[in-house]
Amino acid sequence: MDLKALLGQMTLEEKIGQLIQLSADFFGESTELTGPAQSWGLSIEELSSIGTCIGGKNAAEIRKIQEEHLKIDRNKIPLIFMRDIIHGYRTVYPIGLGLVGSFDPELVGECTEMAAKEAAAGGLHLTFAPMVDLVRDARWGRVMESCGEDPLLASTMGAAQVKAFQGEDISSRDHLAACVKHFAAYGAGESGRDYNSVEISERTLRQFYLPSYKACIDAGVKMLMPSFNDMNGIPSTANPFLMKRILRDEWHYDGAVISDWAAIWELTVHGVAADMKEAARLAFENGCHIEMLSSAYYKHLAELVREGVITEEAVDDAVMHVLRLKDELGLFDDPFHQADDARGEAMYLSPEHREVARRASEESAVLLKNDGTLPFSEDVKKVAIVGPFADEQAMIGPWSALGKTEEAVSVTSGVRALLPNAEISVHKACGYLFDELDKSGFADAIEAAKNADAVIICVGEPAHYSGEGNSRTDIGLPGVQADLVNEITAVNKNSAVLIFNGRPLALSNIYKNAPAILDMWFPGSEGGNAAAALLFGRANPCGKLAMTFPRAVGQCPIYYNRMLTGRPKKGPEEVYKPFTSGYLDCGNLPLFFFGEGLSYTTFEYNAMTLDTHELDEKGSIKVTVSLTNTGERAGKEVVQLYLRDKASSAVRPIQELIAFKKITLEANESAEVCFEITEPMLRFWNAQNEYISEAGEFELFVGYADHRYISDEFTLVK
Ligand code: BGC
């Protein structure tokens, strides 16, 4: 398509139309305006030049909207259809925070490709994913979508998603364009409250928060979305430091930019724009090409051009970003992108897709505690499944596009399918909401637990307690669920607790009594089958935490790669030490660490060897780690390599993950895992805010967070 010629034939109003995104309910028959379109005061002509649409429930609806649109658009420019595909389209896999804990970028890619195929068949051209906001505060509900608290993990998993969504060619029928979000530091909102202000130093921003967005850009992401929050006083949508200096000048990003939902209007609510006209100018000048669902561009952009505040060349440039994307998607040749509900129906929840979802749920689950109770024997005769998630299908998670709870497998169904001959009793016992305090269902559940050979206690938070806008100040198990765990485990020690959650929960009040705790996150369509396989040993847990679990909410924000203070607390964690950095009523360490997760087998680390202990700017160090599966069954281990800079011009974290590899070992099998360390891996934002490495000594260790299995040192010479 000759895009320049196309642009040349468009009026200013038609160009501006390309920069506006409306939802599917704005579009109807080509001759009639829908209610939302009328309430905006749109004419048919104005509607005909709109550039993109959010939503559309399936290929049939999207095809219809596109057909009607092309009938009335004088320039015959197809719409792009966009939507959030976060953890699956119709076949739902675990929420992001769980899935990235698989530490397996290929698995993340496999899930994402599956979602891309399903969504593209359903008519979509672009997904508002991946979300790679670094997260450190479990109170924030959106941690569930994220790739966790570590920059390397988030970068690796973000890039894996971009590549899998987009494939080699976004015009292919099985792929869509991706949109990295929310730029930047949305996860650092004060007090863990959604949309809240972010106050952050440039060093912290660059060191920890920016790498994951950059990794997605390097992976070729087609679109970027600025975040809702203000950062150091300036909302991202209108923030020249982020949108111009970093994004364009430093990173040379030349893809499209879309506002978040009504975020341009929100500039007036933040109070940085006096009115919608000023909001339009600020967002446009900062490189926001498309306005999602507010009307600043629609109402004021043409006027700003006529007044000479914005040049028509700048509008042309923005429009070209949209047209180029349409061209790359192949929409000028096939405006329907081969959307086909029949193809979709054949894939949705097909055995192949359910298999991917189940494997992903198994590999995302994290075994947090096990005194030997798990795995249960398959020979058990009587099983009691208790708790509000016992037979709950609403565990696909908060953002599952077209996912349907009735298509998800509950724990009870999963266990019944695995143990068809066992006697299984199910006792909901209580609710999972804050204010569900009724314990009258406990008695039955306790009685059943007393008489059971194995007890599965299914507790957690409902899906709507995490996700957008859903922050919490109490991140324990809601209602009386902790009492349920404690009362059940008191009568039968052959009990395992399954947790369903969208965030790290503070589990101190059940930790001691629970013989085993398995975190399932929101596991998706195949959750119950995955849980059953894990509980009864058909699958071996291998997931690791991508985010720290605090002991108490008062520790938030808490994360493994913290800075060393001048008065660190030494000695026993529980003991309060005056004038050291700590709390009177709680230790500093979390309940569960980033990178932590048990298996039914054990791995012993035998040695770590470095082929040299001196590194210069041109060289590399080969690190060889040897380990053995010392248990009785095959298992997967994530070998995590951490670094500490012993002295540097600015304080650096007490440990930083610099590489990881996941391997499978049979019982008694040993392996060597190799890593290469080069000078760029040692760089950081120093005291002068330069990204460089500094000569000196470094510690290297394998383990997780504060746990060191084996360590060594080397020197960087310059
Ligand atoms: C969210 C974005 C999302 C958009 C469109 C907003 O409220 O912050 O993450 O992509 O809605 O659904």
Side-chain angles (χ1 to χ4, degrees), residues 21 54 83-84 86 128 131 142 145 181-182 186 195 225 228 260-261 292 399 468:
Q21 173 156 103
I54 178 171
R83 187 181 185 138
D84 301 87
I86 306 296
F128 299 121
M131 186 281 214
R142 297 196 79 166
E145 294 166 59
K181 67 188 189 184
H182 309 82
Y186 184 30
Y195 318 121
M225 183 188 288
F228 280 128
D260 203 342
W261 188 292
M292 185 196 291
W399 213 339
E468 187 175 348

